[in-house]
Amino acid sequence: MRDIDRLSKAGQAEPTDYETLIALENAPKRFGQITVTFKDEDHVLGRVNLEYGDSLDESGYPELPAKEGCAARWSTTKLTDLHLDTVVEAVYTDYITALASIYEREAGRSSLPRDRSATATA
């Protein structure tokens, strides 16, 4: 038995496991639910309510909004054995419009080969 503020709480505030807690007749239903919130910056795009310990894969996610010039993905694509409310964020990565080449000019700047035969011998 532990004391709280130096007062004994035997029979009033005892430790218990989760299964015992949610089985109590007067336990709020919310104790058995987990909410996954999907956000794009400050905008909530959707919410999914699950049971404690459930899992969610990407098929249950809302559609990602497109953002011009960017590739979009969720911060995580699989949530397993959930025990806490969770927020999944939209992540945007700018497209790369040019890639460096293995071929270099005299000044060390990237260059593309002049013809396809140059790539076959490199």
Side-chain angles (χ1 to χ4, degrees):
M1 176 178 70
R2 297 185 182 236
D3 293 341
I4 300 173
D5 295 333
R6 297 180 190 231
L7 299 173
S8 174
K9 299 294 182 181
Q12 296 174 8
E14 297 282 332
T16 187
D17 61 32
Y18 176 76
E19 288 75 19
T20 302
L21 177 68
I22 62 168
L24 293 173
E25 184 179 317
N26 57 350
K29 285 186 178 185
R30 178 70 181 108
F31 282 5
Q33 294 179 342
I34 302 297
T35 300
V36 179
T37 303
F38 297 91
K39 293 180 74 175
D40 174 13
E41 297 176 0
D42 292 330
H43 303 97
V44 173
L45 302 173
R47 287 191 172 94
V48 175
N49 292 318
L50 303 168
E51 296 297 316
Y52 183 88
D54 279 354
S55 299
L56 181 68
D57 65 23
E58 200 170 8
S59 67
Y61 288 25
E63 187 174 335
L64 266 166
K67 190 171 184 181
E68 190 172 334
C70 296
R73 65 176 178 82
W74 291 110
S75 59
T76 186
T77 55
K78 186 165 182 163
L79 301 166
T80 57
D81 195 27
L82 293 169
H83 296 114
L84 298 169
D85 289 345
T86 303
V87 176
V88 179
E89 298 275 349
V91 177
Y92 295 97
T93 306
D94 292 334
Y95 289 135
I96 299 173
T97 56
L99 298 174
S101 171
I102 60 171
Y103 303 99
E104 293 184 354
R105 297 179 189 167
E106 290 178 22
R109 294 180 291 171
S110 293
S111 171
L112 295 175
R114 293 179 196 257
D115 61 35
R116 290 187 180 163
S117 62
T119 59
T121 60

PDB file of all heavy atoms in Angstrom, residues 30 32-38 46-52 54-56 60 82 85:
ATOM      1  N   ARG A  30     -14.912   6.044 -22.921  1.00  0.00           N
ATOM      2  CA  ARG A  30     -13.742   6.696 -23.534  1.00  0.00           C
ATOM      3  C   ARG A  30     -12.436   6.042 -23.080  1.00  0.00           C
ATOM      4  O   ARG A  30     -11.450   6.066 -23.796  1.00  0.00           O
ATOM      5  CB  ARG A  30     -13.760   8.188 -23.189  1.00  0.00           C
ATOM      6  CG  ARG A  30     -12.603   8.987 -23.693  1.00  0.00           C
ATOM      7  CD  ARG A  30     -12.665   9.135 -25.211  1.00  0.00           C
ATOM      8  NE  ARG A  30     -11.529   9.884 -25.667  1.00  0.00           N
ATOM      9  CZ  ARG A  30     -10.501   9.360 -26.333  1.00  0.00           C
ATOM     10  NH1 ARG A  30     -10.485   8.098 -26.650  1.00  0.00           N
ATOM     11  NH2 ARG A  30      -9.496  10.105 -26.703  1.00  0.00           N
ATOM     12  N   GLY A  32     -11.717   3.049 -23.051  1.00  0.00           N
ATOM     13  CA  GLY A  32     -11.408   1.921 -23.914  1.00  0.00           C
ATOM     14  C   GLY A  32     -11.155   2.305 -25.356  1.00  0.00           C
ATOM     15  O   GLY A  32     -11.015   1.445 -26.212  1.00  0.00           O
ATOM     16  N   GLN A  33     -11.105   3.610 -25.638  1.00  0.00           N
ATOM     17  CA  GLN A  33     -10.941   4.059 -27.017  1.00  0.00           C
ATOM     18  C   GLN A  33      -9.645   4.833 -27.204  1.00  0.00           C
ATOM     19  O   GLN A  33      -9.178   5.525 -26.295  1.00  0.00           O
ATOM     20  CB  GLN A  33     -12.101   4.958 -27.431  1.00  0.00           C
ATOM     21  CG  GLN A  33     -13.423   4.238 -27.478  1.00  0.00           C
ATOM     22  CD  GLN A  33     -14.541   5.171 -27.878  1.00  0.00           C
ATOM     23  OE1 GLN A  33     -14.418   6.394 -27.804  1.00  0.00           O
ATOM     24  NE2 GLN A  33     -15.654   4.599 -28.297  1.00  0.00           N
ATOM     25  N   ILE A  34      -9.116   4.705 -28.399  1.00  0.00           N
ATOM     26  CA  ILE A  34      -7.929   5.445 -28.829  1.00  0.00           C
ATOM     27  C   ILE A  34      -8.347   6.268 -30.043  1.00  0.00           C
ATOM     28  O   ILE A  34      -9.041   5.757 -30.926  1.00  0.00           O
ATOM     29  CB  ILE A  34      -6.786   4.482 -29.220  1.00  0.00           C
ATOM     30  CG1 ILE A  34      -6.419   3.564 -28.058  1.00  0.00           C
ATOM     31  CG2 ILE A  34      -5.584   5.237 -29.765  1.00  0.00           C
ATOM     32  CD1 ILE A  34      -5.885   4.268 -26.840  1.00  0.00           C
ATOM     33  N   THR A  35      -7.922   7.515 -30.116  1.00  0.00           N
ATOM     34  CA  THR A  35      -8.213   8.341 -31.282  1.00  0.00           C
ATOM     35  C   THR A  35      -6.919   8.625 -32.033  1.00  0.00           C
ATOM     36  O   THR A  35      -5.939   9.074 -31.435  1.00  0.00           O
ATOM     37  CB  THR A  35      -8.871   9.680 -30.865  1.00  0.00           C
ATOM     38  OG1 THR A  35     -10.089   9.393 -30.180  1.00  0.00           O
ATOM     39  CG2 THR A  35      -9.165  10.555 -32.070  1.00  0.00           C
ATOM     40  N   VAL A  36      -6.954   8.358 -33.331  1.00  0.00           N
ATOM     41  CA  VAL A  36      -5.847   8.713 -34.213  1.00  0.00           C
ATOM     42  C   VAL A  36      -6.307   9.930 -34.999  1.00  0.00           C
ATOM     43  O   VAL A  36      -7.348   9.897 -35.664  1.00  0.00           O
ATOM     44  CB  VAL A  36      -5.474   7.561 -35.168  1.00  0.00           C
ATOM     45  CG1 VAL A  36      -4.337   7.984 -36.091  1.00  0.00           C
ATOM     46  CG2 VAL A  36      -5.093   6.310 -34.383  1.00  0.00           C
ATOM     47  N   THR A  37      -5.543  11.021 -34.903  1.00  0.00           N
ATOM     48  CA  THR A  37      -5.869  12.270 -35.582  1.00  0.00           C
ATOM     49  C   THR A  37      -4.882  12.489 -36.718  1.00  0.00           C
ATOM     50  O   THR A  37      -3.675  12.360 -36.522  1.00  0.00           O
ATOM     51  CB  THR A  37      -5.804  13.461 -34.597  1.00  0.00           C
ATOM     52  OG1 THR A  37      -6.699  13.197 -33.503  1.00  0.00           O
ATOM     53  CG2 THR A  37      -6.200  14.762 -35.273  1.00  0.00           C
ATOM     54  N   PHE A  38      -5.401  12.825 -37.890  1.00  0.00           N
ATOM     55  CA  PHE A  38      -4.568  13.089 -39.067  1.00  0.00           C
ATOM     56  C   PHE A  38      -4.561  14.584 -39.323  1.00  0.00           C
ATOM     57  O   PHE A  38      -5.625  15.200 -39.441  1.00  0.00           O
ATOM     58  CB  PHE A  38      -5.121  12.337 -40.278  1.00  0.00           C
ATOM     59  CG  PHE A  38      -5.092  10.851 -40.088  1.00  0.00           C
ATOM     60  CD1 PHE A  38      -6.176  10.190 -39.547  1.00  0.00           C
ATOM     61  CD2 PHE A  38      -3.964  10.135 -40.432  1.00  0.00           C
ATOM     62  CE1 PHE A  38      -6.144   8.817 -39.350  1.00  0.00           C
ATOM     63  CE2 PHE A  38      -3.917   8.762 -40.236  1.00  0.00           C
ATOM     64  CZ  PHE A  38      -5.006   8.105 -39.701  1.00  0.00           C
ATOM     65  N   GLY A  46      -8.838  14.365 -40.470  1.00  0.00           N
ATOM     66  CA  GLY A  46      -9.703  13.258 -40.109  1.00  0.00           C
ATOM     67  C   GLY A  46      -9.317  12.656 -38.776  1.00  0.00           C
ATOM     68  O   GLY A  46      -8.231  12.921 -38.251  1.00  0.00           O
ATOM     69  N   ARG A  47     -10.235  11.860 -38.251  1.00  0.00           N
ATOM     70  CA  ARG A  47      -9.992  11.145 -36.994  1.00  0.00           C
ATOM     71  C   ARG A  47     -10.539   9.732 -37.139  1.00  0.00           C
ATOM     72  O   ARG A  47     -11.569   9.522 -37.770  1.00  0.00           O
ATOM     73  CB  ARG A  47     -10.683  11.840 -35.825  1.00  0.00           C
ATOM     74  CG  ARG A  47     -10.026  13.127 -35.405  1.00  0.00           C
ATOM     75  CD  ARG A  47     -10.614  13.618 -34.069  1.00  0.00           C
ATOM     76  NE  ARG A  47      -9.871  14.737 -33.569  1.00  0.00           N
ATOM     77  CZ  ARG A  47     -10.176  16.016 -33.781  1.00  0.00           C
ATOM     78  NH1 ARG A  47     -11.227  16.319 -34.506  1.00  0.00           N
ATOM     79  NH2 ARG A  47      -9.431  16.980 -33.290  1.00  0.00           N
ATOM     80  N   VAL A  48      -9.845   8.801 -36.537  1.00  0.00           N
ATOM     81  CA  VAL A  48     -10.295   7.412 -36.504  1.00  0.00           C
ATOM     82  C   VAL A  48     -10.304   6.976 -35.043  1.00  0.00           C
ATOM     83  O   VAL A  48      -9.306   7.152 -34.341  1.00  0.00           O
ATOM     84  CB  VAL A  48      -9.355   6.496 -37.330  1.00  0.00           C
ATOM     85  CG1 VAL A  48      -9.767   5.037 -37.193  1.00  0.00           C
ATOM     86  CG2 VAL A  48      -9.323   6.918 -38.794  1.00  0.00           C
ATOM     87  N   ASN A  49     -11.439   6.445 -34.602  1.00  0.00           N
ATOM     88  CA  ASN A  49     -11.543   5.925 -33.238  1.00  0.00           C
ATOM     89  C   ASN A  49     -11.336   4.420 -33.267  1.00  0.00           C
ATOM     90  O   ASN A  49     -11.937   3.715 -34.082  1.00  0.00           O
ATOM     91  CB  ASN A  49     -12.906   6.264 -32.634  1.00  0.00           C
ATOM     92  CG  ASN A  49     -13.052   7.745 -32.401  1.00  0.00           C
ATOM     93  OD1 ASN A  49     -12.126   8.403 -31.937  1.00  0.00           O
ATOM     94  ND2 ASN A  49     -14.197   8.292 -32.739  1.00  0.00           N
ATOM     95  N   LEU A  50     -10.479   3.942 -32.398  1.00  0.00           N
ATOM     96  CA  LEU A  50     -10.147   2.523 -32.309  1.00  0.00           C
ATOM     97  C   LEU A  50     -10.305   2.058 -30.874  1.00  0.00           C
ATOM     98  O   LEU A  50     -10.347   2.868 -29.953  1.00  0.00           O
ATOM     99  CB  LEU A  50      -8.696   2.298 -32.754  1.00  0.00           C
ATOM    100  CG  LEU A  50      -8.332   2.765 -34.155  1.00  0.00           C
ATOM    101  CD1 LEU A  50      -6.826   2.753 -34.337  1.00  0.00           C
ATOM    102  CD2 LEU A  50      -8.999   1.887 -35.188  1.00  0.00           C
ATOM    103  N   GLU A  51     -10.337   0.748 -30.700  1.00  0.00           N
ATOM    104  CA  GLU A  51     -10.326   0.176 -29.371  1.00  0.00           C
ATOM    105  C   GLU A  51      -8.886   0.120 -28.862  1.00  0.00           C
ATOM    106  O   GLU A  51      -7.943   0.016 -29.647  1.00  0.00           O
ATOM    107  CB  GLU A  51     -10.923  -1.233 -29.385  1.00  0.00           C
ATOM    108  CG  GLU A  51     -12.393  -1.272 -29.779  1.00  0.00           C
ATOM    109  CD  GLU A  51     -13.295  -0.519 -28.805  1.00  0.00           C
ATOM    110  OE1 GLU A  51     -13.100  -0.683 -27.583  1.00  0.00           O
ATOM    111  OE2 GLU A  51     -14.172   0.226 -29.272  1.00  0.00           O
ATOM    112  N   TYR A  52      -8.723   0.186 -27.574  1.00  0.00           N
ATOM    113  CA  TYR A  52      -7.415   0.098 -26.936  1.00  0.00           C
ATOM    114  C   TYR A  52      -6.681  -1.152 -27.436  1.00  0.00           C
ATOM    115  O   TYR A  52      -7.236  -2.239 -27.462  1.00  0.00           O
ATOM    116  CB  TYR A  52      -7.604   0.033 -25.420  1.00  0.00           C
ATOM    117  CG  TYR A  52      -6.331   0.015 -24.602  1.00  0.00           C
ATOM    118  CD1 TYR A  52      -5.731   1.195 -24.206  1.00  0.00           C
ATOM    119  CD2 TYR A  52      -5.753  -1.183 -24.223  1.00  0.00           C
ATOM    120  CE1 TYR A  52      -4.587   1.188 -23.436  1.00  0.00           C
ATOM    121  CE2 TYR A  52      -4.596  -1.208 -23.456  1.00  0.00           C
ATOM    122  CZ  TYR A  52      -4.014  -0.010 -23.066  1.00  0.00           C
ATOM    123  OH  TYR A  52      -2.872  -0.022 -22.312  1.00  0.00           O
ATOM    124  N   ASP A  54      -5.776  -1.758 -30.542  1.00  0.00           N
ATOM    125  CA  ASP A  54      -5.980  -2.002 -31.973  1.00  0.00           C
ATOM    126  C   ASP A  54      -4.819  -1.462 -32.792  1.00  0.00           C
ATOM    127  O   ASP A  54      -3.975  -0.705 -32.291  1.00  0.00           O
ATOM    128  CB  ASP A  54      -7.269  -1.343 -32.464  1.00  0.00           C
ATOM    129  CG  ASP A  54      -8.510  -2.160 -32.162  1.00  0.00           C
ATOM    130  OD1 ASP A  54      -8.366  -3.297 -31.669  1.00  0.00           O
ATOM    131  OD2 ASP A  54      -9.614  -1.655 -32.409  1.00  0.00           O
ATOM    132  N   SER A  55      -4.833  -1.816 -34.064  1.00  0.00           N
ATOM    133  CA  SER A  55      -3.824  -1.360 -35.018  1.00  0.00           C
ATOM    134  C   SER A  55      -4.523  -0.709 -36.201  1.00  0.00           C
ATOM    135  O   SER A  55      -5.704  -0.952 -36.451  1.00  0.00           O
ATOM    136  CB  SER A  55      -2.972  -2.531 -35.501  1.00  0.00           C
ATOM    137  OG  SER A  55      -2.294  -3.123 -34.415  1.00  0.00           O
ATOM    138  N   LEU A  56      -3.775   0.098 -36.939  1.00  0.00           N
ATOM    139  CA  LEU A  56      -4.309   0.776 -38.118  1.00  0.00           C
ATOM    140  C   LEU A  56      -3.207   0.857 -39.153  1.00  0.00           C
ATOM    141  O   LEU A  56      -2.104   1.308 -38.855  1.00  0.00           O
ATOM    142  CB  LEU A  56      -4.788   2.189 -37.741  1.00  0.00           C
ATOM    143  CG  LEU A  56      -5.410   3.029 -38.853  1.00  0.00           C
ATOM    144  CD1 LEU A  56      -6.752   2.435 -39.290  1.00  0.00           C
ATOM    145  CD2 LEU A  56      -5.610   4.467 -38.384  1.00  0.00           C
ATOM    146  N   GLY A  60      -6.594   2.689 -43.800  1.00  0.00           N
ATOM    147  CA  GLY A  60      -7.576   3.408 -42.992  1.00  0.00           C
ATOM    148  C   GLY A  60      -7.308   4.903 -42.872  1.00  0.00           C
ATOM    149  O   GLY A  60      -8.018   5.602 -42.159  1.00  0.00           O
ATOM    150  N   LEU A  82      -2.006   0.118 -30.342  1.00  0.00           N
ATOM    151  CA  LEU A  82      -2.134   1.487 -29.824  1.00  0.00           C
ATOM    152  C   LEU A  82      -2.654   1.513 -28.392  1.00  0.00           C
ATOM    153  O   LEU A  82      -3.641   0.860 -28.064  1.00  0.00           O
ATOM    154  CB  LEU A  82      -3.059   2.304 -30.724  1.00  0.00           C
ATOM    155  CG  LEU A  82      -2.517   2.579 -32.120  1.00  0.00           C
ATOM    156  CD1 LEU A  82      -3.602   3.149 -33.013  1.00  0.00           C
ATOM    157  CD2 LEU A  82      -1.333   3.522 -32.044  1.00  0.00           C
ATOM    158  N   ASP A  85      -3.727   8.034 -27.519  1.00  0.00           N
ATOM    159  CA  ASP A  85      -4.158   8.832 -28.660  1.00  0.00           C
ATOM    160  C   ASP A  85      -2.919   9.230 -29.451  1.00  0.00           C
ATOM    161  O   ASP A  85      -1.854   9.486 -28.872  1.00  0.00           O
ATOM    162  CB  ASP A  85      -4.904  10.082 -28.188  1.00  0.00           C
ATOM    163  CG  ASP A  85      -6.281   9.764 -27.608  1.00  0.00           C
ATOM    164  OD1 ASP A  85      -6.779   8.641 -27.813  1.00  0.00           O
ATOM    165  OD2 ASP A  85      -6.856  10.653 -26.965  1.00  0.00           O
TER     166      ASP A  85
END
